[in-house]
Amino acid sequence: MAEKQVLLIVGGGIAAYKALELTRLLRKAGIGVRPVMTRAAAQFVTPLSLAALAEDKVYEDIFSLTDEAEMGHIQLSRSADLIVVAPATADLMAKAANGLATDLATTTLLATDTPVLMAPAMNVRMWLHPATQRNLAALKADGVAFVGPDEGAMACGEFGPGRMAEPVAIFAEISALLATSQPLVGRHVIVTAGPTVEPIDPVRMLTNRSSGKQGYAIAQALAALGADVTLVSGPTALSSPPGVRRVDVETAREMLAACEAALPADAAICVAAVADWRPEHVGDRKMKKGPGGPPTFSLVENPDILATLAQAGARRPQLVVGFAAETNDIDDNARAKLARKGCDWIVANDVSQEGVMGGDDNTVSIVSAAGVERWTKTAKSEVARKLAARIAEALNP
Ligand code: CTP
């Protein structure tokens, strides 16, 4: 599936630094960013920073032969699914409202019929000025969407409306605008991620080294395709992906209960490293050292969340996907697991490869009734994007 593209016009205001964070969020979600900077914007953030985060060149000048040769301004304005202006300064809004085309940013805005989202940022008096409010009304009448501005303390020391919306809020708005044409809109997907923690006593526990990175990346990639995602997560050090509903749990039994409470769902992707066993008896007091030597405790098996969801009868999600950590006989083990759990696909991780557990890369095979498909070693975020695209295909045959 082709990546969605945003043309990001960065205006010249102090809030331009937030465009860097916005770019990072968009790229992390698999959305392409083609940056255009005004001359003034380049006084606030460097084109180099923006280009590095966007993984694309920055277009700055309508009279640049190289820019025009690589992509003319007309083509530039049509190459995106959405044009985002952040920060939209009072000057940019005024020019756009009046159809001026004095530089690359304003010419691009005039030469397009692509939807436009503006995130205004300016001093409170400039924002409240009748001229700006007139321009705002004109732009809205032209179909431009707006996010923010927020109210609060401003860089100029004043207080009031005019502060640019936070990057996560702009990101959420962009996702919503792009989502109308996305394949997973209206689909609910449950993703489990991270380790589970099983208490032994009030201070000790059984757990594992899962970082949650792969599961979080999948949740984010699904949300970028428009899915409504419930991320049921064991304890991790990760922040919630934007636009994803996260339910925090500790034990396997809590994880199962949270998944069942989140049903119905169109798909369940079980990425969590669930503790297979838990101590049978958990005391409410800390175990003490004593003359009797070290304690012994017996373990009981935890419920299998993947198998429970895959065998949930009428409540079974249409697509149930499990992960398997294998070091050897990967295909045979994965096939056996597919049958045992009753799921549709097993994504087999080859954990014999160094750096998979906790690392940023992954080498996976997709095992299903249709056979085995091996993917070459790639970043977990890329595995997530490919998998999300596959899930979208499976749900929309
Ligand atoms: N899983 C689960 N609930 C459990 C155990 C596992 O949902 N109680 C899910 C995991 O999220 C994963 C898959 O089942 O999708 C892993 O299966 P598992 O049987 O635990 O296999 P491995 O961990 O790969 O190891 P082993 O084959 O040694 O059991």
Side-chain angles (χ1 to χ4, degrees):
M1 192 162 317
E3 180 173 80
K4 292 276 174 184
Q5 276 285 342
V6 162
L7 184 81
L8 177 63
I9 297 180
V10 183
I14 185 67
Y17 77 92
K18 291 187 187 172
L20 298 177
E21 174 63 5
L22 174 62
T23 302
R24 197 186 65 77
L25 290 172
L26 289 166
R27 289 303 299 134
K28 224 175 129 198
I31 298 171
V33 178
R34 182 155 286 148
V36 170
M37 283 179 108
T38 64
R39 203 170 292 247
Q43 302 288 326
F44 290 93
V45 289
T46 74
L48 187 60
S49 308
L50 195 56
L53 287 167
E55 301 164 77
D56 199 350
K57 68 166 283 183
V58 173
Y59 292 80
E60 289 179 90
D61 191 354
I62 196 162
F63 300 115
S64 152
L65 263 182
T66 347
D67 284 4
E68 281 295 307
E70 282 176 14
M71 180 168 306
H73 61 275
I74 301 290
Q75 201 188 339
L76 188 63
S77 67
R78 295 184 189 158
S79 64
D81 300 289
L82 180 69
I83 298 183
V84 177
V85 189
T89 59
D91 182 63
L92 262 176
M93 282 177 62
K95 285 178 175 151
N98 290 284
L100 296 185
T102 52
D103 60 4
L104 182 60
T106 48
T107 308
T108 304
L109 283 169
L110 193 61
T112 191
D113 53 8
T114 304
V116 177
L117 172 70
M118 290 194 174
M122 65 198 74
N123 165 274
V124 54
R125 280 168 224 277
M126 289 170 86
W127 173 251
L128 295 174
H129 195 285
T132 304
Q133 292 301 310
R134 253 193 330 270
N135 295 332
L136 174 67
L139 288 166
K140 281 188 175 168
D142 288 345
V144 174
F146 281 84
V147 51
D150 291 347
E151 196 166 303
M154 311 189 67
C156 53
E158 293 191 72
F159 187 91
R163 206 166 69 172
M164 189 166 89
E166 289 306 318
V168 280
I170 303 175
F171 173 84
E173 200 57 37
I174 293 172
S175 304
L177 288 171
L178 291 177
T180 48
S181 59
Q182 288 180 302
L184 288 175
V185 170
R187 303 295 196 150
H188 177 214
V189 185
I190 299 171
V191 178
T192 70
T196 63
V197 165
E198 306 295 340
I200 296 171
D201 69 13
V203 298
R204 300 183 177 90
M205 62 201 187
L206 281 180
T207 189
N208 60 66
R209 292 187 193 279
S210 166
S211 65
K213 281 181 189 167
Q214 186 66 82
Y216 275 55
I218 290 168
Q220 180 152 3
L222 288 163
L225 295 187
D228 170 18
V229 180
T230 304
L231 173 62
V232 182
S233 174
T236 71
L238 305 172
S239 50
S240 296
V244 161
R245 185 178 330 101
R246 172 165 147 193
V247 182
D248 287 321
V249 297
E250 294 210 331
T251 67
R253 287 184 295 174
E254 285 170 11
M255 187 171 269
L256 176 61
C259 289
E260 287 183 320
L263 288 172
D266 296 285
I269 319 300
C270 296
V271 198
V274 184
D276 290 317
W277 309 285
R278 66 175 184 275
E280 189 171 15
H281 303 289
V282 181
D284 51 10
R285 291 191 174 182
K286 184 183 166 200
M287 288 190 283
K288 301 295 267 181
K289 290 188 289 295
T296 54
F297 49 89
S298 52
L299 297 172
V300 287
E301 199 155 324
N302 266 328
D304 191 315
I305 299 159
L306 173 62
T308 308
L309 293 174
Q311 295 162 34
R315 305 196 80 204
R316 183 194 198 273
Q318 186 184 332
L319 181 73
V320 180
V321 180
F323 270 65
E326 307 288 357
T327 52
N328 54 289
D329 304 317
I330 296 170
D331 298 354
D332 287 346
N333 285 335
R335 264 192 287 265
K337 202 160 286 177
L338 192 72
R340 198 165 65 239
K341 308 258 185 178
C343 58
D344 302 294
W345 306 344
I346 285 282
V347 182
N349 289 275
D350 184 354
V351 288
S352 64
Q353 306 233 351
E354 209 173 304
V356 167
M357 289 296 275
D360 289 326
D361 289 338
N362 211 349
T363 309
V364 306
S365 302
I366 312 291
V367 182
S368 70
V372 178
E373 187 186 320
R374 212 171 303 286
W375 293 355
T376 50
K377 180 173 174 175
T378 172
K380 287 184 179 174
S381 55
E382 191 54 34
V383 170
R385 264 178 245 160
K386 279 174 78 171
L387 193 65
R390 272 306 159 76
I391 291 166
E393 275 168 27
L395 293 181
N396 304 299

